[in-house]
């Protein structure tokens, strides 16, 4: 039976080349053809010996997941794709253009088990972790017609529960034989799994980390994000401090701002206090409404008020006006249409 070459190229091409009696450097050539030059047939791989091409042809097929939907925003600055994997798991992925930045937001799981109350991904059934080649395939689709200079693991799923595959995907993203994107332009967003943050600090110190803090009250945070019951805010902040000490980089705290839930002056004051010792950016994400949730989107006055409170501290404050919320491609909206 033939296998998917994207999977093979990432997971076990070294072993295959050995079986074929080929030199290890052939791996680099194969990666270049697949990940840089978007080859769609083995025939195109002109610098591979004929014999090797024939072997590859008999063992593998070249196939990306099936594209089942493309939605573009009116200004063409956001594109959302729905892709169907070989086992029929469906995921969504988003490309965004902002000034001169071109970012792809990757999904790392089909669905998410964590059940955050404000997130559309939590409403669909969790299917499974994605494999590294399935994450890379999200980039390969966009790459054919769009620039990519940044990658964020902020799509469907919790990255810290799939770190082994993410690490492999990052190898392709950063490799000169792959997408040649600097690790500094890659960010992993987590609902807040302390040991995952420590792992990144130790093993992938150049990768950016964003923590979805979302509330500074243990009670509210647990109501919004059931996983918070397991990891108290203090533990999370300790992991964040470990990351900034170890890597010398700032960490990002994401804060989904929900009207009347976590947007008071006290919340802002408390947020500044808690993060005072940690070199960080605070990224306010105004809540994007999702079907059948009872939360309210903050209006521009409320957003500005909260931002102004925070500006009195040391942290850099940004507001992420979700790109593509009109096509349900904003933060937390992936899966809403599946
Ligand atoms: N599971 C990871 C990454 C995916 S979610 C995490 O939770 O961090 C990416 C970001 O979108 C998180 O910061 C999350 O808090 C935010 N988000 C989820 N639902 C949202 C919504 N409805 N509106 C705005 N942001 C949302
Ligand atoms: Fe999962 Fe992140 Fe959505 Fe929470 S916000 S349900 S962790 S994808």
């Amino acid at each position: 039976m033939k296998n998917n070459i994207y999977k093979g190229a990432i997971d076990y091409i070294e072993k295959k080349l050995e079986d074929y009696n080929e030199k290890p450097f052939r791996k680099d050539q194969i990666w270049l053809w697949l990940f840089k030059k978007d080859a769609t047939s083995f025939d195109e791989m002109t610098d591979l010996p004929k014999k090797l091409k024939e072997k590859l042809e008999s063992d593998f097929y070249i196939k990306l997941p099936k594209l089942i939907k493309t939605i573009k925003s009116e200004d063409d600055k956001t594109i959302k794709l729905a892709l169907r994997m070989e086992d029929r798991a469906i995921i969504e992925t988003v490309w965004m253009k902002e000034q001169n930045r071109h970012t792809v937001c990757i999904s790392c799981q089909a669905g998410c088990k964590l059940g955050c109350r404000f997130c559309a991904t939590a409403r669909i059934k969790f299917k499974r972790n994605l494999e590294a080649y399935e994450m890379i395939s999200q980039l390969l689709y966009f790459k054919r017609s769009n620039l990519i200079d940044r990658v964020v693991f902020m799509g469907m799923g919790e990255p810290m529960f799939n770190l082994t595959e993410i690490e492999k995907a990052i190898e392709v993203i950063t490799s000169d034989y792959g997408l040649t994107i600097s690790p500094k332009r890659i960010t992993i967003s987590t609902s807040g799994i302390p040991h995952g943050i420590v792992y990144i600090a130790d093993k992938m110190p150049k990768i950016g980390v964003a923590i979805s803090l979302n509330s500074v009250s243990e009670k509210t945070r647990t109501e919004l994000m059931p996983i918070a019951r397991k990891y108290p805010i203090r533990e999370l902040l300790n992991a964040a401090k470990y990351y900034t000490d170890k890597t010398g980089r700032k960490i990002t705290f994401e804060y989904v701002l929900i009207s009347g839930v976590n947007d008071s002056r006290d919340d802002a004051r408390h947020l500044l206090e808690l993060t005072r010792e940690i070199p960080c950016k605070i990224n306010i994400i105004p809540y994007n409404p999702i079907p059948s949730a009872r939360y309210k989107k903050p209006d521009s006055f409320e957003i500005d008020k909260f931002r102004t409170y925070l500006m009195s501290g040391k942290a850099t404050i940004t507001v992420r006006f979700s790109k593509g919320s009109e096509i349900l491609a904003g933060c937390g909206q992936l899966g809403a249409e599946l």
Side-chain angles (χ1 to χ4, degrees):
M1 209 180 69
K2 289 196 185 191
N3 290 307
N4 189 315
I5 187 68
Y6 294 111
K7 177 175 168 61
I10 295 174
D11 287 349
Y12 56 88
I13 194 68
E14 293 87 352
K15 168 85 180 57
K16 255 311 183 211
L17 289 170
E18 228 179 272
D19 294 348
Y20 294 159
N21 240 329
E22 290 281 351
K23 295 259 157 53
F25 78 91
R26 298 289 180 202
K27 172 186 169 181
D28 298 342
Q29 288 176 305
I30 294 171
W31 273 37
L32 274 177
W33 283 110
L34 292 173
F35 303 128
K36 184 143 274 172
K37 301 196 246 179
D38 302 321
T40 53
S41 72
F42 294 109
D43 257 359
E44 280 165 66
M45 305 185 177
T46 44
D47 53 3
L48 299 186
K50 186 152 173 283
K51 220 173 69 219
L52 174 56
K53 281 193 281 191
E54 282 168 6
K55 284 184 185 148
L56 289 170
E57 181 80 59
S58 67
D59 284 344
F60 295 102
Y61 54 86
I62 305 183
K63 195 168 137 209
L64 287 173
K66 190 167 168 47
L67 178 62
I68 54 175
K69 205 186 226 174
T70 306
I71 310 175
K72 278 191 190 185
S73 63
E74 255 170 46
D75 61 7
D76 276 353
K77 288 186 176 167
T78 311
I79 306 172
K80 179 170 84 165
L81 307 180
L83 301 176
R84 190 166 63 214
M85 306 297 138
E86 290 179 286
D87 67 348
R88 307 190 73 79
I90 297 177
I91 60 99
E92 292 185 324
T93 178
V94 181
W95 176 90
M96 294 159 273
K97 178 174 160 61
E98 221 175 348
Q99 281 129 18
N100 51 358
R101 295 170 163 209
H102 309 83
T103 307
V104 174
C105 179
I106 292 191
S107 289
C108 66
Q109 297 182 317
C112 182
K113 278 187 191 167
L114 299 190
C116 301
R117 305 279 179 252
F118 46 78
C119 175
T121 306
R123 306 288 173 95
I124 59 175
K125 201 168 164 327
F126 174 80
K127 195 137 187 207
R128 62 174 172 87
N129 275 347
L130 296 187
E131 294 189 43
Y133 79 100
E134 296 172 312
M135 292 184 235
I136 294 300
S137 69
Q138 300 171 40
L139 298 169
L140 296 183
Y141 261 108
F142 287 120
K143 194 165 88 65
R144 292 170 178 179
S145 40
N146 302 96
L147 285 172
I148 304 175
D149 39 49
R150 267 161 223 275
V151 175
V152 295
F153 289 86
M154 293 188 188
M156 300 163 81
E158 170 50 50
M160 298 307 186
F161 295 154
N162 194 13
L163 271 180
T164 312
E165 293 300 310
I166 287 185
E167 223 173 336
K168 286 196 246 166
I170 286 178
E171 203 187 319
V172 179
I173 298 169
T174 53
S175 166
D176 282 337
Y177 303 103
L179 282 88
T180 327
I181 293 174
S182 155
K184 295 197 167 148
R185 294 180 173 210
I186 301 175
T187 302
I188 294 179
S189 173
T190 174
S191 59
I193 314 294
H195 54 87
I197 299 165
V198 168
Y199 183 88
I200 292 180
D202 289 338
K203 298 283 176 16
M204 303 184 260
K206 290 186 179 156
I207 303 291
V209 169
I211 300 178
S212 302
L213 190 57
N214 297 345
S215 169
V216 284
S217 131
E218 214 69 82
K219 183 169 172 287
T220 309
R221 191 162 192 271
T222 313
E223 277 162 17
L224 294 171
M225 310 175 71
I227 185 76
R229 224 172 291 141
K230 218 163 158 188
Y231 305 111
I233 293 172
R234 184 38 55 206
E235 228 179 281
L236 209 53
L237 296 176
N238 288 345
K241 185 81 173 82
Y242 181 86
Y243 172 89
T244 56
D245 284 349
K246 183 102 192 190
T247 65
R249 299 189 57 167
K250 286 186 179 174
I251 201 160
T252 300
F253 291 107
E254 293 161 299
Y255 196 94
V256 178
L257 195 69
I258 308 175
S259 180
V261 171
N262 59 1
D263 63 344
S264 71
R265 183 192 284 267
D266 261 2
D267 287 318
R269 193 178 42 76
H270 200 167
L271 177 56
L272 283 183
E273 255 168 43
L274 283 182
T275 55
R276 199 171 34 213
E277 303 300 326
I278 304 173
C280 66
K281 293 181 215 169
I282 298 175
N283 192 198
I284 304 168
I285 314 176
Y287 167 66
N288 288 313
I290 58 161
S292 76
R294 59 195 163 81
Y295 298 117
K296 210 173 131 258
K297 189 183 160 95
D299 61 32
S300 54
F301 177 72
E302 289 168 316
I303 298 168
D304 216 50
K305 214 169 56 175
F306 197 76
R307 188 175 61 106
T308 314
Y309 289 152
L310 292 181
M311 304 263 272
S312 62
K314 272 193 306 194
T316 312
I317 314 298
T318 49
V319 180
R320 188 193 303 164
F321 287 102
S322 276
K323 311 284 296 164
S325 50
E326 82 278 15
I327 58 165
L328 292 177
C331 301
Q333 294 181 311
L334 299 189
E337 294 172 307
L338 295 179

